[in-house]
Amino acid sequence: MCGIVGYIGSKQAYPIIINGLKRLEYRGYDSAGICVVSETPFTAKCKGKVSDLENFIGDHSVAGTIGIGHTRWATHGEPNDTNAHPHESMNGTFILIHNGIIENYGILKSKLEKRGYIFKSETDTEVLVNLIEYIYLKGNVTPEIAVRLALTKVVGAYGIAVICRDEVDTLIAARKGSPLVVGVGDGEYYVASDATPIVEFTNSVIFLNDNDVAILKRNEMVLKTIYNEALEPNIQTLDLDIEAIEKGGFDHFMLKEIFEQPRSIHDTFRGRVSTNPFDIHLGGLYKVIPNLVDAKRIILIGCGTSWHAALVGEYLLEDLARIPVEVEYASEFRYRHPIIYKDDVVIAISQSGETADTLAAIRMAKQAGAMVLGICNVVGSSIPRETHAGVYTHAGPEIGVASTKAFTAQVTVLIMMAILLGRKKGEINDDRYNELINELANVPDKIEKILQADPLILEISKRFKDATNFLYLGRGYYFPVALEGALKLKEISYIHAEGYPAAEMKHGPIALIDDTMPVVVIATKDNSYEKIVSNIQEVKARKGVIIAIVTEGDTVIKQMADYVIEIPEAGEVVGALLSVVPLQMLSYHIALLRGCNVDQPRNLAKSVTVE
Ligand code: F6R
């Protein structure tokens, strides 16, 4: 949450920072600000998006070759001009941007107040910048030392970039808990919350670790810890394509990412799945396969959509590999004193690889002695770096705040894992193995076909755009899909929606059904087809309006449902991958018809780096 960008070099900093902030806006978009220094710092900040900041700055010429910028997702203090970053210290010596939460800001603030500090904003960030200044002025130390000493006093999470008015040829960046990447150019350095603002300039990057501080001058970088221990920079080469982070002709990132799924799913299994000969190879898990095969239990953890993928994973791993699985919300798991055995394998699922609760949960599982694996999308993010092993989803950057292609990529990895482990454990014979691999290999073409239903889904969306409630029903593998469909609708269209296992409907939610209630049912021809047909009849008997996702050629449900969306026939194991796509499209169209900002829904941010 919150995006930060910094630059020091010979180019004009302003356009680099503004464009970088636009790329990071998925991380937060309730206020924005910049500080650019030529001889003296120029600071501008305001409530709203980066485009509002640009309008606010207007024709004012912003010159300078060092600068910092911030796009905010509010934690402490409402989104307004004063709480927007950058924050300046009381005497104007330091200017700072921050992503994270200073948990002990209350104590630090009252200590500073006792020493005469006056605060303008309600933010924890202003406390940090004043603490740095206090140490600097009182201790008569260098800006770098003041920053490092202040950070040793801080409890919480931070990714920061700081400029000192007395040393305007230096940019200081530091991280703990919140991600920070340094881009290494020729006589220039970039700093950003992730690599997307950097890749158009350089693909040489350093992912800062917790407690790292980078002291950046135009031709020099010093890397050390906040405790003044020297570090050797580990410069990595990024393989990230600039086109992958543009909209590519689509109106919204979300739409682009929905339509990208045939390719992104293919990218997830490319080089890992072969149909000639039939085989699955997951290099990232090579060394830990024995742990997985012998695991008494797998615990899948995640948040939001990634938690839904974990639920699909439970069905897959129990069904195909016969390994007991538990699925946990990371935020609950980390606080409820769970029982973790040394022969448990804990798998964290996360698009960003930075979700604070998921990170904390894996640290706890590691401490308890479990093997901890990751299924993540963002290469080099914190979770892959802190887990024993794992599998990247390789879905490419996901910019739309509502997760779409990341979900299908996560499920694709879980399908590969379940088939592979089922095979290793002797639960799957040759024929079934080959059949399952074929099913997976055919998914991209089948999704291509589903995407052609876009005009139909748009028409259905027009009918339901003013609904106030939705119910989503599914059974087995499709129950998590129902949850995911409901989440997509509520997060981008602000319509209340609930996902339910279809059979549970009779135990309460059926009371909600009347002739105004749209009920989306995933009713494909699978093991529980007959049962879901009965559930549809129960809804119809109460005059509910049915939108059914059915298998191509189904005639039975067509007669009962008000609207049907057909998807190609496929085995249950890949069913979640196919059936979720029309639900993503339905949410997208409904949200758009309601005039909502689909890529940046209110109150949300893509990467939840605070707990
Ligand atoms: C919903 C959505 C969120 C994320 C959740 C976890 O569309 O995007 O629910 O799935 O915040 O994020 P990651 O996967 O980055 O850990």
Side-chain angles (χ1 to χ4, degrees):
M1 350 245 350
C2 299
I4 70 181
V5 187
Y7 175 76
I8 178 165
S10 53
K11 298 187 192 116
Q12 284 301 314
Y14 180 60
I16 294 172
I17 291 168
I18 287 290
N19 289 334
L21 289 180
K22 284 182 181 163
R23 293 206 194 288
L24 289 181
E25 230 175 358
Y26 71 86
R27 301 179 66 87
Y29 33 82
D30 57 44
S31 42
I34 52 126
C35 172
V36 174
V37 187
S38 55
E39 273 162 33
T40 52
F42 167 81
T43 301
K45 55 182 188 168
C46 64
K47 181 180 169 181
K49 299 192 191 286
V50 178
S51 54
D52 296 310
L53 175 69
E54 281 182 293
N55 290 337
F56 177 70
I57 293 171
D59 295 337
H60 190 102
S61 116
V62 187
T65 54
I66 167 169
I68 51 180
H70 187 270
T71 178
R72 179 169 187 245
W73 187 88
T75 56
H76 292 66
E78 64 169 290
N80 61 27
D81 296 354
T82 313
N83 289 333
H85 299 213
H87 286 281
E88 198 171 296
S89 56
M90 191 176 77
N91 299 299
T93 325
F94 286 89
I95 301 128
L96 179 143
I97 49 173
H98 168 220
N99 167 28
I101 291 185
I102 309 298
E103 286 168 14
N104 59 339
Y105 85 105
I107 303 168
L108 296 172
K109 187 172 181 177
S110 52
K111 283 188 181 163
L112 287 165
E113 277 170 338
K114 280 191 196 121
R115 286 159 179 82
Y117 269 85
I118 296 164
F119 290 83
K120 291 184 276 223
S121 78
E122 303 152 86
T123 64
D124 49 343
T125 306
E126 195 186 1
V127 175
L128 177 57
V129 75
N130 277 328
L131 177 64
I132 294 171
E133 181 185 88
Y134 175 74
I135 294 172
Y136 175 71
L137 296 177
K138 187 88 184 154
N140 198 16
V141 292
T142 63
E144 174 216 317
I145 294 175
V147 171
R148 285 195 294 97
L149 286 181
L151 292 178
T152 62
K153 310 262 178 278
V154 156
V155 178
Y158 56 80
I160 58 166
V162 197
I163 294 174
C164 177
R165 210 182 268 264
D166 297 339
E167 225 176 76
V168 290
D169 58 349
T170 308
L171 178 63
I172 302 176
R175 131 175 201 159
K176 184 180 176 196
S178 303
L180 212 54
V181 185
V182 175
V184 183
D186 189 10
E188 58 182 10
Y189 292 97
Y190 301 81
V191 172
S193 300
D194 71 30
T196 53
I198 297 175
V199 282
E200 65 190 279
F201 305 108
T202 174
N203 58 3
S204 301
V205 296
I206 300 162
F207 293 100
L208 295 191
N209 291 312
D210 281 354
N211 295 326
D212 285 2
V213 185
I215 301 108
L216 308 168
K217 293 182 189 291
R218 286 180 178 79
N219 281 307
E220 183 198 8
M221 175 180 62
V222 175
L223 195 63
K224 51 172 73 171
T225 69
I226 57 171
Y227 308 108
N228 203 23
E229 297 143 337
L231 294 169
E232 204 48 56
N234 173 16
I235 301 182
Q236 303 185 29
T237 306
L238 265 191
D239 179 17
L240 189 58
D241 181 358
I242 188 72
E243 265 126 53
I245 51 177
E246 308 279 0
K247 281 195 200 136
F250 285 88
D251 288 342
H252 298 95
F253 282 113
M254 182 181 178
L255 189 63
K256 175 191 171 219
E257 287 155 8
I258 291 172
F259 273 76
E260 256 174 12
Q261 288 176 110
R263 202 196 69 204
S264 56
I265 291 173
H266 192 255
D267 287 345
T268 305
F269 68 68
R270 193 214 316 258
R272 293 164 164 171
V273 165
S274 136
T275 48
N276 184 19
F278 286 101
D279 206 8
I280 293 186
H281 175 78
L282 291 171
L285 297 184
Y286 180 69
K287 286 200 200 121
V288 298
I289 288 288
N291 303 67
L292 281 159
V293 168
D294 295 338
K296 296 276 171 302
R297 177 173 72 152
I298 291 179
I299 304 174
L300 298 173
I301 54 175
C303 301
T305 289
S306 296
W307 183 79
H308 295 157
L311 283 180
V312 180
E314 177 181 26
Y315 285 88
L316 286 163
L317 288 160
E318 293 202 341
D319 186 7
L320 300 179
R322 308 299 298 150
I323 303 172
V325 175
E326 280 174 32
V327 178
E328 299 270 1
Y329 282 116
S331 53
E332 289 297 314
F333 183 69
R334 63 179 288 201
Y335 284 120
R336 71 168 176 75
H337 201 201
I339 297 164
I340 305 170
Y341 299 111
K342 291 203 167 28
D343 52 7
D344 281 338
V345 175
V346 174
I347 308 180
I349 305 178
S350 173
Q351 188 287 128
S352 62
E354 299 292 351
T355 299
D357 283 321
T358 313
L359 253 174
I362 63 169
R363 285 175 187 153
M364 194 177 80
K366 259 169 99 176
Q367 234 171 15
M371 161 76 60
V372 180
L373 311 180
I375 299 177
C376 293
N377 194 37
V378 178
V379 175
S381 56
S382 299
I383 293 175
R385 289 190 289 142
E386 294 202 21
T387 41
H388 295 115
V391 183
Y392 278 119
T393 49
H394 292 314
E398 189 181 65
I399 314 277
V401 165
S403 189
T404 52
K405 65 172 180 170
F407 173 78
T408 48
Q410 291 163 345
V411 171
T412 301
V413 169
L414 289 160
I415 293 171
M416 290 189 287
M417 275 179 76
I419 302 174
L420 181 68
L421 293 177
R423 179 75 172 152
K424 298 260 181 225
K425 290 188 65 143
E427 298 288 345
I428 295 175
N429 66 23
D430 283 357
D431 288 349
R432 179 88 175 117
Y433 185 65
N434 300 355
E435 180 192 1
L436 289 168
I437 290 177
N438 245 335
E439 284 279 3
L440 182 58
N442 290 332
V443 163
D445 287 346
K446 291 184 179 177
I447 293 186
E448 208 70 77
K449 234 175 148 186
I450 296 170
L451 294 170
Q452 289 167 15
D454 196 45
L456 165 70
I457 296 173
L458 173 61
E459 285 313 306
I460 298 175
S461 305
K462 286 180 186 160
R463 159 75 174 80
F464 294 104
K465 74 177 178 47
D466 296 319
T468 47
N469 293 290
F470 262 77
L471 198 57
Y472 284 71
L473 301 178
R475 301 180 76 117
Y477 281 103
Y478 303 103
F479 159 52
V481 177
L483 292 176
E484 176 59 8
L487 176 64
K488 282 297 84 93
L489 187 72
K490 55 191 153 193
E491 68 183 326
I492 60 168
S493 73
Y494 320 138
I495 296 176
H496 170 250
E498 300 232 22
Y500 247 84
E504 272 292 303
M505 188 183 55
K506 285 197 273 303
H507 301 282
I510 200 163
L512 295 168
I513 292 173
D514 61 18
D515 58 1
T516 64
M517 176 67 114
V519 183
V520 179
V521 190
I522 302 133
T524 46
K525 283 209 173 122
D526 290 304
N527 290 342
S528 43
Y529 179 71
E530 311 298 335
K531 306 230 178 292
I532 203 99
V533 168
S534 308
N535 297 134
I536 291 176
Q537 269 161 346
E538 288 155 9
V539 174
K540 281 315 295 174
R542 283 146 190 95
K543 299 194 167 39
V545 190
I546 296 279
I547 305 160
I549 312 297
V550 300
T551 306
E552 229 165 32
D554 186 310
T555 49
V556 177
I557 295 178
K558 246 184 205 154
Q559 288 179 358
M560 288 184 259
D562 300 83
Y563 300 89
V564 292
I565 302 168
E566 293 188 328
I567 63 174
E569 188 161 6
E572 260 186 342
V573 164
V574 298
L577 292 179
L578 303 186
S579 54
V580 77
V581 175
L583 305 189
Q584 297 167 343
M585 293 156 83
L586 188 69
S587 310
Y588 171 81
H589 285 302
I590 291 180
L592 207 62
L593 290 164
R594 288 165 70 88
C596 300
N597 184 339
V598 290
D599 279 341
Q600 294 174 349
R602 71 183 179 206
N603 304 339
L604 291 176
K606 184 132 192 89
S607 184
V608 185
T609 52
V610 294
E611 64 173 282

